[in-house]
Amino acid sequence: MHPKEVKKNRTGTGWITRMTLKDCEIIEGLDFAQNPRLQRLLKDPQYYPVLLYPGEDAWNAQKPGFAEEVNGRTILAIIIDSTWFCSRKMIEHNPELLKLPKLSFCGDYRSIFTFKREPRPEYISTIETCYYLTKELSSVGLANPNCDPEPLMNVFKQMIINQIRAENERIAGLRPNNHAGDGHYITPKEMPNFQTVLYR
């Protein structure tokens, strides 16, 4: 996790993921080449470390040969949690991470995080990333069968509802403007219908 996320965003989805997902761990930093905790995990033979990163050479849960490559080890998924701009900086500071096997999604997902605007439609939050990744790995028997991803999406949906409700109450004058830019947002937001998850 980028240090800015640690200091400024303690209600971010990375923190919620850690509290909700079994065996999830946050490692803070910018340069991880000498990070003792990460290096121990990468060298532990029980793990098959992967960097969640798209690319032509990336594995996905359904790609032929992936299960054989994992060979019974526990998948250690490394997910960069940061803003999209800072994520690029973290990659630049950690070229060794790009030498790890890469893992990407089988599906083409869209974020339900309507409260926050992402640079591109396919960019999804950390908690959604962990949700879809766990579901895909579970579907082929490569995730802990006792690891239920549904609480991730349930708590995320509740967070979005709470954020939109608070924003609409602020617009209605029931809450104060707490941020310099609040005055720019004067149109109430529609409460989402979470009967279905948005994905293709």
Side-chain angles (χ1 to χ4, degrees), residues 38-91:
L38 180 60
Q39 295 306 317
R40 281 197 300 273
L41 290 170
L42 293 177
K43 294 173 182 177
D44 192 326
Q46 70 175 307
Y47 295 124
Y48 178 75
V50 294
L51 176 68
L52 196 72
Y53 198 84
E56 293 284 332
D57 58 341
W59 291 104
N60 65 57
Q62 296 180 3
K63 193 170 185 177
F66 182 53
E68 290 76 13
E69 176 73 12
V70 175
N71 193 28
R73 289 170 287 178
T74 299
I75 294 174
L76 176 68
I78 298 169
I79 299 169
I80 296 175
D81 182 29
S82 179
T83 64
W84 291 104
F85 174 79
C86 290
S87 292
R88 291 194 294 269
K89 292 295 183 182
M90 291 181 76
I91 289 293

Side-chain angles (χ1 to χ4, degrees), residues 10-195:
R10 291 192 178 277
T11 57
T13 67
W15 290 102
I16 298 173
T17 302
R18 188 189 72 167
M19 293 185 288
T20 311
L21 183 65
K22 181 179 172 61
D23 296 329
C24 178
E25 182 177 339
I26 289 177
I27 300 177
E28 175 193 352
L30 184 60
D31 185 346
F32 294 97
Q34 304 300 322
N35 183 281
R37 175 58 180 160
L38 180 60
Q39 295 306 317
R40 281 197 300 273
L41 290 170
L42 293 177
K43 294 173 182 177
D44 192 326
Q46 70 175 307
Y47 295 124
Y48 178 75
V50 294
L51 176 68
L52 196 72
Y53 198 84
E56 293 284 332
D57 58 341
W59 291 104
N60 65 57
Q62 296 180 3
K63 193 170 185 177
F66 182 53
E68 290 76 13
E69 176 73 12
V70 175
N71 193 28
R73 289 170 287 178
T74 299
I75 294 174
L76 176 68
I78 298 169
I79 299 169
I80 296 175
D81 182 29
S82 179
T83 64
W84 291 104
F85 174 79
C86 290
S87 292
R88 291 194 294 269
K89 292 295 183 182
M90 291 181 76
I91 289 293
E92 291 173 4
H93 279 83
N94 297 277
E96 292 298 314
L97 289 180
L98 289 177
K99 296 179 182 179
L100 294 172
K102 300 181 185 68
L103 183 64
S104 191
F105 296 118
C106 309
D108 182 17
Y109 302 105
R110 295 294 181 265
S111 180
I112 64 170
F113 203 176
T114 55
F115 190 81
K116 181 179 178 182
R117 184 177 299 174
E118 299 291 0
R120 295 171 62 110
E122 65 271 22
Y123 289 179
I124 61 177
S125 65
T126 298
I127 198 167
E128 291 169 303
T129 295
C130 293
Y131 172 78
Y132 291 120
L133 182 62
T134 303
K135 283 184 71 73
E136 289 191 355
L137 293 174
S138 295
S139 71
V140 294
L142 291 176
N144 185 337
N146 297 319
C147 186
D148 180 10
E150 294 307 323
L152 287 169
M153 193 58 72
N154 292 339
V155 73
F156 184 49
K157 290 176 181 178
Q158 188 60 54
M159 184 195 82
I160 294 170
I161 289 171
N162 291 345
Q163 286 179 332
I164 293 176
R165 181 182 295 118
E167 176 75 349
N168 289 345
E169 289 175 355
R170 182 195 62 77
I171 292 169
L174 302 176
R175 290 174 179 260
N177 290 340
N178 293 321
H179 301 92
D182 281 348
H184 297 295
Y185 303 98
I186 58 174
T187 303
K189 292 181 171 62
E190 182 179 354
M191 196 64 73
N193 180 353
F194 285 134
Q195 295 300 315

